[in-house]
Amino acid sequence: MFAGMGAQMDTLVVAWLVLVETDNPFLVGLISSTRLATNFVSLFAGAIADRLPRRLVLAAVEFTLASLGLVMLVIVANDLLEVWHLFTITFFVGMARLFQMPAAQSLAIDSAPPDKINTAVALTTMSMNLNLVVGPLLGGFLFEMFGPQGAYALIAALYTSSGITALFVRTVRVTRSEQTESMATAVLQGLRYVKGHQVIWAALLVAVIINLTGFPFHGTLVPIFAKDVLGRDAAGLGLLMSAFGVGAVAGSMFLSLFPNPKKVGKLLILSVVVWHGSMAAFSASTSFPVSIAILVATGFAFSSTLVLIMTPIWRTALPAYRGRIIGLRVLAIYASAVGSLNSGGLAGVFSPALAGNVSALVGIGLTGVLALVAPKLRRA
C-alpha cells in the first residue's frame, strides 16, 4: 500500500508537470511510455524473484524508488527542473518497478492456501486500489498547496516506509526453487511452461490488451480530459482519479467475498467489455460530476479485470514458476507504451474524445477475438 500510494502520486505529478510545462498531450503519452522502456527486463526480474529471497528483492526496489524520489525533491526544491529531468528519472523509476511486481505478488500468493487464492489476489489488488483513492487526492492537493516538492517529499517517505515494511514480510512456506541452470535457461523454461497452458497465455494476452487500450485511458487521457475538456486543475484531476479509485476498491472488495468463484473466464471477458464501454461513455461527457460518476464504474470494471486475470493463472501455475509468470505479466505492460503514444497523439492531433473512443473499440474487438481463439479461457 505504501509503494502503491507513492506510485500513484508519482504518476499523477509527473503527467501534470509535463502537461503544465509543455502543454503537449503527446509528451504526456511519451512520459508514460518512457516508464515502460525497459520492460523487456521483466523476464529476468521474474526469474530473480524465483531465486532470491523475495522480501529482500522487494525492499531493495522500494529503497531505490525512495532515492529517486529524493533526487526529484532536490531538483524541484532548487528550481532546477527541466523536462529532460522528468524523462530521465521516470526511465529509472520504470526500471526499478520491473522487480517490484514479481516479488510482491509472488509473496502474497506464497502465503495463501490454494482454496483462498482468489481472495488473496482480490485483497492484494484492493490494497493497491486504495491508493488510487488516496494517492491522487494527496498528490493533487499537495501539488496545489506546496508545489511539486511537497508531493515528492511524501513520495520519498512512502517508498522508504514500503522498503522497511517489506523486510518484515514472512511467508508460510518457501516456494523458491534451488536452481543451478543459467538465468537465460530459467527464462526459457518459464516461456515453455506458459506456452503449454492455454489458460495462462490467454490470460496474459488479456493483460496485453488492457494495457494497450485500458491503462492509457486513465494514465494519459484522463489528465488531458481534466485540463482541456473539463477545465480543471491538479486538484480536480486528483478528484477524478480518486473516483476511479473508489470504484476500483469496491470491485476488489466485492470479488474478495468469493474465495472460489465459478466461470472466471466469462466474468473476465465481461469485465473488459464493461471497462471499455465506460471509457466511451466518459469520452462523451463534458460534465465534471457525470465524469466522476462514470469513472467509479470504470474503476470497478478495471479492478475486477485485474483480479480475474490473475485468478485462473494462480489456479493453474506451479509455485516454482510464479515469479517468471509475473515477469511475463509485467512484460505485458509494454503494450501501454504503444497505447499511451497512440492515445496522446490522437488527443493532440484530433481530440481526447476520439482517442478514448478508439481505445474502447479496439479493446472490445481484440477481447472478442481472443475469446474465440482461446476456448479454455472461456471455460476457466
Side-chain angles (χ1 to χ4, degrees):
M1 289 180 66
F2 286 137
M5 192 181 301
Q8 291 298 327
M9 289 180 61
D10 185 32
T11 299
L12 181 143
V13 171
V14 166
W16 193 257
L17 278 173
V18 171
L19 196 58
V20 169
E21 293 289 326
T22 68
D23 196 30
N24 189 329
F26 175 76
L27 289 181
V28 179
L30 185 60
I31 196 77
S32 298
S33 299
T34 300
R35 193 176 291 111
L36 308 172
T38 58
N39 257 36
F40 63 90
V41 180
S42 62
L43 291 172
F44 297 92
I48 288 173
D50 281 337
R51 289 180 175 224
L52 301 179
R54 288 165 178 162
R55 65 186 181 90
L56 297 182
V57 174
L58 187 57
V61 169
E62 306 309 342
F63 289 136
T64 299
L65 291 169
S67 299
L68 292 170
L70 288 173
V71 171
M72 279 299 301
L73 176 59
V74 171
I75 290 174
V76 297
N78 288 280
D79 199 25
L80 300 173
L81 182 65
E82 297 183 20
V83 173
W84 72 266
H85 290 136
L86 294 170
F87 278 88
T88 302
I89 297 297
T90 296
F91 174 85
F92 288 109
V93 166
M95 184 178 293
R97 285 186 190 171
L98 292 179
F99 296 84
Q100 182 181 56
M101 191 171 173
Q105 293 210 5
S106 297
L107 273 177
I109 304 305
D110 283 350
S111 298
D115 62 338
K116 296 293 190 295
I117 284 178
N118 184 71
T119 299
V121 174
L123 291 174
T124 305
T125 304
M126 182 175 67
S127 72
M128 293 186 290
N129 289 339
L130 283 171
N131 305 308
L132 289 170
V133 181
V134 180
L137 278 176
L138 283 175
F141 283 110
L142 284 173
F143 192 103
E144 289 299 316
M145 294 175 64
F146 304 108
Q149 59 266 35
Y152 276 110
L154 183 55
I155 288 169
L158 288 167
Y159 280 134
T160 300
S161 300
S162 180
I164 293 171
T165 54
L167 294 173
F168 292 93
V169 174
R170 295 291 185 272
T171 57
V172 295
R173 59 184 180 274
V174 176
T175 59
R176 191 173 66 255
S177 57
E178 299 297 329
Q179 298 172 340
T180 58
E181 71 272 8
S182 68
M183 192 68 68
T185 300
V187 170
L188 289 174
Q189 287 179 344
L191 291 173
R192 284 195 293 267
Y193 181 78
V194 169
K195 181 182 177 182
H197 294 80
Q198 186 182 104
V199 170
I200 297 178
W201 63 251
L204 290 173
L205 282 178
V206 174
V208 172
I209 292 169
I210 63 173
N211 278 280
L212 177 67
T213 59
F215 275 80
F217 173 72
H218 64 266
T220 299
L221 290 180
V222 170
I224 297 170
F225 271 99
K227 181 176 182 293
D228 296 342
V229 177
L230 301 174
R232 299 289 164 159
D233 57 14
L237 172 60
L239 287 172
L240 287 169
M241 293 304 297
S242 291
F244 178 84
V246 168
V249 171
S252 52
M253 287 182 64
F254 177 75
L255 287 177
S256 71
L257 301 176
F258 305 94
N260 194 23
K262 307 298 182 182
K263 300 181 179 179
V264 171
K266 290 184 176 65
L267 289 173
L268 171 58
I269 294 167
L270 176 62
S271 294
V272 175
V273 171
V274 172
W275 179 358
H276 287 73
S278 69
M279 287 163 47
F282 181 88
S283 299
S285 172
T286 56
S287 165
F288 188 67
V290 171
S291 296
I292 286 179
I294 294 172
L295 283 178
V296 174
T298 308
F300 190 100
F302 155 84
S303 178
S304 300
T305 301
L306 296 189
V307 174
L308 293 168
I309 283 176
M310 296 312 301
T311 298
I313 290 177
W314 291 138
R315 286 178 178 177
T316 305
L318 292 174
Y321 290 95
R322 284 173 178 163
R324 278 164 285 184
I325 290 172
I326 290 296
L328 286 170
R329 171 67 181 88
V330 175
L331 186 63
I333 299 174
Y334 238 140
S336 286
V338 177
S340 295
L341 285 174
N342 288 341
S343 295
L346 285 172
V349 175
F350 297 101
S351 69
L354 177 66
N357 284 318
V358 168
S359 293
L361 290 173
V362 171
I364 292 172
L366 291 177
T367 302
V369 172
L370 180 61
L372 291 175
V373 301
K376 290 184 179 179
L377 178 64
R378 299 198 309 268
R379 297 193 295 265

